[in-house]
């Protein structure tokens, strides 16, 4: 064990790695409840067509596979699973917003994962990172955070459009029991997180689910049993007829863009925290780490779930002492155990997962501190990216308008040299698509 994971070299022990792995699972296992709820969700009476139980299986298996690859290929204490923000884009923008089929979205996820495998093998992903403006990367994270927050507020019934304004908070009375439960859950999550309780987000979901019982928000079916056989996932649900369309390119690029920076950002943060860097300050075994999320994404697409990415909650395991891939092995095994506990996760109402979405929105908002708003040519595109995502209810539109405005602002400021070639190309493609949709 010591030779395989280099425990002694990194100053850790088997017990510390086990504790760290369990801590990471507790911190991120809320995704087992949130991801199936989002991907099998509906909006304005329109459903995605994906089954909750099938997505649950896909979530647990893809998380386990990707995390095991991370353990043995990179020997890092980083866990992976279908990412928040990416699943929201999958459901609310692509399927319910654009009217595409889940198969269309899963095909984009599959091709993104395959491309990432190629890019990871040749070390191109790191080069792509440098070509995208830094402030836009941070703005995307902030915009997605606000978008997720809005979804959480709506799922809990806290916000509504029948309050006399475009959007407003409902009255917290017993006619809006779901809103009361959701708000209580948010308070509980904030308190637990502030007290640095391990697994605070998951515990918040559990406590809120229990609180929902007397309010009639949580319903327990007759003959309830906590254990069950894993449901069959949506295997190989792909659609190849539209892969050459502009719409497909936009969807594909959004998955690619978001996943690219989610993974890199998480790896840099965890490596800094655990001091897992080489002499030049780079993440150790970075190629293997990037390969793990690429393989996980391909596996997830084949099983019927959205893009798999590294989870920043891995930092909680590092804080508990994890330093090697052994902790990732423990986390992966716990995801496999969770496969047989799907009835417990199915009890959780949207009012209980909504606080998790809202709180993750807060965590993603932290990136706003790194945006340079003093430079107008940087600040305005960042602001437009952040503003468009929640107000258009579309992550892709935020990226499209953000990149176009970035090029425009740099041209006006005569800072042509600051515009990377790939940014010029993307802006031209996105502008063409907007014009094409307008005259169609």
């Amino acid at each position: 064990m010591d030779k395989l994971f280099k425990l002694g070299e990194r100053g850790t022990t088997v017990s510390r790695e086990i504790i760290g792995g369990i801590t990471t699972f507790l911190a991120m296992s809320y995704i087992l409840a949130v991801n199936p709820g989002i991907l099998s969700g509906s909006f304005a009476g329109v459903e995605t067509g994906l089954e909750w139980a099938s997505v649950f299986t896909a979530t647990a298996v893809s998380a386990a596979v990707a995390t095991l690859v991370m353990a043995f290929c990179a020997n890092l204490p980083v866990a992976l699973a279908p990412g928040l923000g990416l699943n929201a884009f999958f459901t609310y923008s692509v399927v319910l917003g654009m009217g595409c089929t889940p198969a269309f979205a899963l095909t984009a996820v599959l091709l993104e994962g395959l491309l990432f495998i190629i890019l990871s093998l040749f070390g191109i992903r790191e080069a792509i990172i440098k070509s995208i403006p830094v402030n836009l990367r941070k703005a995307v994270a902030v915009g997605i955070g606000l978008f997720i927050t809005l979804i959480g507020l709506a799922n809990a019934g806290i916000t509504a459009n029948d309050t006399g304004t475009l959007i407003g908070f409902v009255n917290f009375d017993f006619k809006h029991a779901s809103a009361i439960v959701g708000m209580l859950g948010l308070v509980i999550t904030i308190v637990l997180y502030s007290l640095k309780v391990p697994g605070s987000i998951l515990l918040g979901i559990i406590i809120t689910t229990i609180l929902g019982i007397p309010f009639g928000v949580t319903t327990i079916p007759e003959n309830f049993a906590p254990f069950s056989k894993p449901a069959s996932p949506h295997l190989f649900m792909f659609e190849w007829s539209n892969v050459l369309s502009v719409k497909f390119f936009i969807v594909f690029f959004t998955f690619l863009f978001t996943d690219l920076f989610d993974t890199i950002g998480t790896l840099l943060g965890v490596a800094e925290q655990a001091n897992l860097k080489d002499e030049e300050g780079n993440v150790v075994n970075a190629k293997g780490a990037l390969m793990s999320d690429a393989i996980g994404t391909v596996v997830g697409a084949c099983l019927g779930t959205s893009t798999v990415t590294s989870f920043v909650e891995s930092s909680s395991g590092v804080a508990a002492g994890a330093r090697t891939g052994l902790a990732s092995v423990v986390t992966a095994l716990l995801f496999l155990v969770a496969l047989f506990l799907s009835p417990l996760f199915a009890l959780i109402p949207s009012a209980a997962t909504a606080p998790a979405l809202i709180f993750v929105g807060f965590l993603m908002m932290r990136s706003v501190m790194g945006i340079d708003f003093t430079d107008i040519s940087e600040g305005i595109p960042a602001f437009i990216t952040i503003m468009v995502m929640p107000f258009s209810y579309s992550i892709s539109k935020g990226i499209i308008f953000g990149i176009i405005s970035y090029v425009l602002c740099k041209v006006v400021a005569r800072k042509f040299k600051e515009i990377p070639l790939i940014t010029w190309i993307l802006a031209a493609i996105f502008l063409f698509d907007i014009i094409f949709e307008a005259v169609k």
Side-chain angles (χ1 to χ4, degrees):
M1 191 76 72
D2 180 75
K3 185 177 180 181
L4 178 62
F5 293 107
K6 302 179 180 178
L7 301 180
E9 181 181 322
R10 297 188 182 178
T12 185
T13 63
V14 172
S15 61
R16 286 175 63 183
E17 294 300 301
I18 292 175
I19 292 173
I22 294 173
T23 301
T24 294
F25 176 78
L26 289 174
M28 66 179 287
S29 57
Y30 65 86
I31 197 65
L32 289 169
V34 176
N35 191 54
I38 290 177
L39 294 188
S40 64
S42 62
F43 182 72
V46 180
E47 298 183 350
T48 63
L50 297 175
E51 297 293 332
W52 190 97
S54 297
V55 177
F56 180 91
T57 298
T59 303
V61 173
S62 61
V65 170
T67 305
L68 284 173
V69 175
M70 179 70 77
F72 293 108
C73 289
N75 192 24
L76 291 173
V78 178
L80 304 93
L84 281 171
L86 291 161
N87 54 11
F89 173 71
F90 183 107
T91 297
Y92 297 103
S93 291
V94 181
V95 179
L96 300 180
M98 298 180 182
C100 301
T101 64
F104 177 95
L106 288 171
T107 306
V109 173
L110 174 71
L111 294 181
E112 174 224 333
L114 291 173
L115 179 59
F116 269 175
I117 290 177
I118 297 172
L119 297 180
S120 299
L121 284 173
F122 293 96
I124 300 174
R125 287 177 76 176
E126 295 91 331
I128 293 177
I129 294 293
K130 298 177 182 178
S131 69
I132 304 296
V134 174
N135 285 299
L136 277 188
R137 301 179 211 167
K138 297 173 181 177
V140 167
V142 177
I144 291 174
L146 288 176
F147 182 63
I148 289 175
T149 299
L150 182 58
I151 291 172
L153 291 170
N155 285 353
I158 295 174
T159 59
N161 58 5
D162 58 354
T163 58
T165 57
L166 290 176
I167 188 171
F169 273 27
V170 299
N171 294 323
F172 292 97
D173 52 34
F174 287 104
K175 293 180 181 179
H176 301 96
S178 179
I180 295 175
V181 172
M183 190 60 74
L184 289 174
L186 180 59
V187 172
I188 291 168
T189 303
I190 291 172
V191 170
L192 291 173
Y193 192 88
S194 299
L195 294 174
K196 298 181 179 180
V197 177
S200 55
I201 296 178
L202 176 65
L203 287 174
I205 292 175
I206 294 172
I207 295 172
T208 307
T209 300
I210 296 172
L211 283 176
I213 296 175
F215 284 91
V217 174
T218 303
T219 56
I220 301 176
E222 295 182 6
N223 303 319
F224 172 75
F227 304 100
S228 71
K229 288 179 60 178
S232 298
H234 296 289
L235 288 173
F236 306 110
M237 183 188 286
F238 301 124
E239 179 183 307
W240 302 104
S241 57
N242 295 306
V243 294
L244 298 179
S245 64
V246 174
K247 181 185 289 187
F248 186 87
F249 173 80
I250 293 173
V251 172
F252 170 80
F253 174 75
T254 303
F255 280 130
L256 188 81
F257 180 83
T258 308
D259 187 22
L260 192 65
F261 300 119
D262 274 358
T263 299
I264 291 292
T266 299
L267 289 176
L268 290 174
V270 172
E272 183 71 30
Q273 182 183 5
N275 195 28
L276 297 175
K277 299 177 293 182
D278 59 23
E279 295 177 356
E280 298 179 356
N282 299 315
V283 180
V284 297
N285 304 326
K287 181 177 286 189
L290 293 170
M291 182 63 72
S292 65
D293 94 294
I295 293 174
T297 294
V298 171
V299 171
C302 292
L303 295 174
T305 188
S306 53
T307 305
V308 173
T309 188
S310 301
F311 265 58
V312 71
E313 285 82 359
S314 302
S315 59
S316 63
V318 170
R323 292 294 182 274
T324 73
L326 179 57
S328 296
V329 172
V330 174
T331 303
L333 292 176
L334 289 174
F335 270 113
L336 293 177
V337 171
L339 272 173
F340 301 92
L341 300 174
S342 62
L344 286 175
F345 289 92
L347 288 177
I348 301 173
S350 58
T353 57
L357 294 175
I358 297 169
F359 195 77
V360 170
F362 152 71
L363 296 177
M364 297 182 78
M365 281 291 295
R366 293 175 177 178
S367 296
V368 77
M369 295 185 294
I371 299 175
D372 181 12
F373 286 107
T374 60
D375 183 346
I376 293 179
S377 67
E378 295 282 341
I380 289 178
F383 165 71
I384 289 175
T385 302
I386 295 168
M387 176 267 295
V388 170
M389 286 187 186
F391 292 133
S392 69
Y393 216 70
S394 171
I395 295 171
S396 62
K397 281 188 173 63
I399 293 174
I400 289 170
F401 284 98
I403 289 179
I404 292 173
S405 63
Y406 180 85
V407 172
L408 176 62
C409 288
K410 289 297 181 182
V411 168
V412 172
R414 298 181 180 180
K415 298 180 178 180
F416 302 100
K417 294 182 180 179
E418 295 183 14
I419 308 174
L421 176 60
I422 191 173
T423 307
W424 277 108
I425 296 171
L426 291 172
I429 293 173
F430 293 153
L431 188 59
F432 171 79
D433 181 59
I434 290 173
I435 297 172
F436 177 77
E437 289 293 329
V439 300
K440 187 173 63 174

